[in-house]
Amino acid sequence: PLSSARQDVNGPPASDRSGTVEESALTGGSAEHSQNETTSGILNYNTGGDIPPALEINGETGAATGTTLIHGVYGDLSIDIDGNWNYTLTGSTTDHAGINQTGTADQVQDSFSILVTDSDGDTAGATLTIDVTDDGPVAVSDGTVDVNDGASVLGNLLANDTPGADSATLTHVNGSELVFDAVSGEASVSTALGELVVSADGNYRYT
């Protein structure tokens, strides 16, 4: 008798993918009117003649129709069975380690493990990695404020600044770190002509 065997060569090769979102695009960020808090793409996998009946993301089975929502560390991933995905950053994070670094110089990652299984059980894995860039405050000069001799003037040093997505507080004046009183919440800076009393929210009184 004659016999034959058929070898399946239609495994679902899959490739890693990545995207980038920016904290600066969040509300209060330095570029909050941009749309860079979202990124999208498509996973690259090819099942040959086989059907891809299953897609797992971080161990969760994807829906056969429509989209599946996966909550990541920093945002939400929406993905369908064909590999079309969209990621939205849902909030800022203080996990960025860079000091005085923002943008692509200071990133954290939100990663998703992808497993594709075709109709005869062949599997392939890939990783979708989202880079989350850091935002930072943008300071603007406060200009000159006139005050009469013996009088005081009030204001806010942060009022015309952009705090950034992580928010910002007043920490230094004239390059020196402020030490705030535990009770009043204020710090004093003496100058040759007077005294500046400030709080972390930027409010000040100069006499």
Side-chain angles (χ1 to χ4, degrees):
L2 298 176
S3 63
S4 63
R6 178 180 178 271
Q7 181 179 6
D8 179 20
V9 294
N10 292 324
S15 300
D16 294 341
R17 283 292 181 265
S18 64
T20 300
V21 291
E22 301 174 359
E23 272 191 350
S24 61
L26 296 172
T27 300
S30 59
E32 66 174 323
H33 297 299
S34 77
Q35 297 182 351
N36 294 335
E37 75 276 16
T38 65
T39 183
S40 60
I42 183 170
L43 296 176
N44 183 23
Y45 59 82
N46 183 1
T47 61
D50 298 328
I51 300 172
L55 184 67
E56 289 186 14
I57 312 96
N58 286 353
E60 183 174 334
T61 300
T65 59
T67 60
T68 300
L69 181 66
I70 304 294
H71 299 295
V73 178
Y74 306 114
D76 291 338
L77 175 71
S78 176
I79 188 170
D80 66 19
I81 193 66
D82 296 319
N84 299 294
W85 59 267
N86 180 277
Y87 177 92
T88 300
L89 182 65
T90 55
S92 63
T93 174
T94 56
D95 290 346
H96 294 97
I99 303 299
N100 292 326
Q101 293 180 323
T102 58
T104 57
D106 191 13
Q107 298 179 334
V108 293
Q109 284 72 41
D110 209 351
S111 296
F112 299 87
S113 177
I114 310 295
L115 182 66
V116 182
T117 305
D118 68 14
S119 56
D120 60 9
D122 296 316
T123 62
T127 300
L128 173 60
T129 302
I130 306 298
D131 293 321
V132 181
T133 66
D134 193 17
D135 190 25
V138 178
V140 179
S141 174
D142 292 284
T144 301
V145 178
D146 294 326
V147 57
N148 294 326
D149 187 27
S152 296
V153 63
L154 305 177
N156 188 290
L157 297 173
L158 303 181
N160 61 340
D161 301 331
T162 302
D166 298 321
S167 72
T169 58
L170 184 64
T171 59
H172 291 70
V173 169
N174 288 342
S176 297
E177 185 174 2
L178 298 169
V179 179
F180 296 99
D181 182 82
V183 177
S184 68
E186 296 178 333
S188 297
V189 180
S190 296
T191 72
L193 299 178
E195 182 182 41
L196 178 69
V197 179
V198 298
S199 57
D201 62 5
N203 287 323
Y204 74 84
R205 179 180 70 258
Y206 179 82
T207 304

